[in-house]
Amino acid sequence: VSAGATTFLVALDGAPEFDPRGDAFAKGATDDQRPKAVDVAAGVEFSDPAQALMTDGIRAEDFLNALVAAEHWADAVRLLAAWLPPPQSVAWGCACIRQMGEGRLSPAQQASAAAADKWAAEPTEEHRRAAQQAAENIQSRTPAGWIALAAFWSGGSIGPPDAPDIPPAPGMSVRAVGLVVTTVATWGGQKQSTAEAFKAFIEDARQRLPTNKK
């Protein structure tokens, strides 16, 4: 409620906590307010064991918890990559690369990851095209290249700027982010096991979900 230059935030007893920025309920949402797994992960391909855990009507959070408990790491990553809005999904992939990629990235790969990160922070068409160019500058397909392509495939046309619009195929960006995160999780070596890396990455993604914004 606003009165002149003063704004009051009103909370009703018994109501779930609400993010005043207009996002989903931060916490305390009823079961009906939590997204279903089938809606969050529409079009995502899961392994057969993971698919068996997606029972009728299961909520996305419960499905994610089941995947983690069963150590279906790649499936959990795919779910989160689809659940996060595209800029947050790409930002998550960039964060995973930064965490595990020290000393592994060439200057061109660093530039590609930086271009993706820039788009995630400010998802403009100019930054999306810059991410495309940065990915094309890398000869081999690496996580840094894939994350830049994830930004490029997030929406808009994937054809030349002066050509008729060519939309990306559904799920291209999500699959690219999933590939990035599952690949860099294996980079820990002796410092961190793959399972430990997946757990850390998944927790990071949880904090980026709209329902967990503070």
Side-chain angles (χ1 to χ4, degrees):
V1 179
S2 296
T6 304
T7 300
F8 301 91
L9 179 60
V10 179
L12 301 178
D13 290 342
E17 294 186 17
F18 187 73
D19 188 331
R21 293 168 299 182
D23 294 314
F25 286 98
K27 59 182 179 179
T30 65
D31 196 57
D32 287 342
Q33 294 162 338
R34 296 190 299 146
K36 292 183 178 180
V38 292
D39 296 329
V40 166
V44 178
E45 295 182 2
F46 296 107
S47 67
D48 289 342
Q51 191 66 46
L53 296 174
M54 191 185 287
T55 56
D56 186 38
I58 190 171
R59 302 293 166 173
E61 181 182 357
D62 298 327
F63 182 45
L64 175 61
N65 291 337
L67 293 174
V68 171
E71 299 187 356
H72 296 323
W73 305 122
D75 294 296
V77 165
R78 294 187 194 103
L79 173 64
L80 286 163
W83 192 350
L84 288 164
Q88 285 72 31
S89 185
V90 170
W92 175 44
C94 290
C96 295
I97 291 173
R98 282 196 303 273
Q99 180 177 335
M100 306 294 279
E102 184 177 359
R104 290 178 175 269
L105 304 184
S106 68
Q109 291 169 358
Q110 293 175 26
S112 184
D117 220 3
K118 188 172 184 178
W119 174 85
E122 190 177 353
T124 65
E125 177 64 10
E126 178 183 0
H127 292 162
R128 189 179 74 91
R129 290 288 178 177
Q132 175 198 18
Q133 185 59 56
E136 290 178 352
N137 290 339
I138 302 177
Q139 296 301 315
S140 60
R141 289 293 182 237
T142 67
W146 283 116
I147 200 62
L149 288 174
F152 178 57
W153 292 335
S154 63
S157 177
I158 59 174
D162 56 350
D165 285 353
I166 304 174
M172 287 178 67
S173 181
V174 168
R175 287 193 291 273
V177 173
L179 179 61
V180 168
V181 176
T182 53
T183 299
V184 301
T186 66
W187 285 359
Q190 295 180 347
K191 294 182 179 179
Q192 187 179 42
S193 70
T194 299
E196 290 171 337
F198 272 122
K199 290 176 184 178
F201 292 168
I202 289 168
E203 181 57 30
D204 181 8
R206 285 183 190 269
Q207 299 308 311
R208 297 173 187 267
L209 291 170
T211 51
N212 284 333
K213 288 182 180 179
K214 304 298 182 183

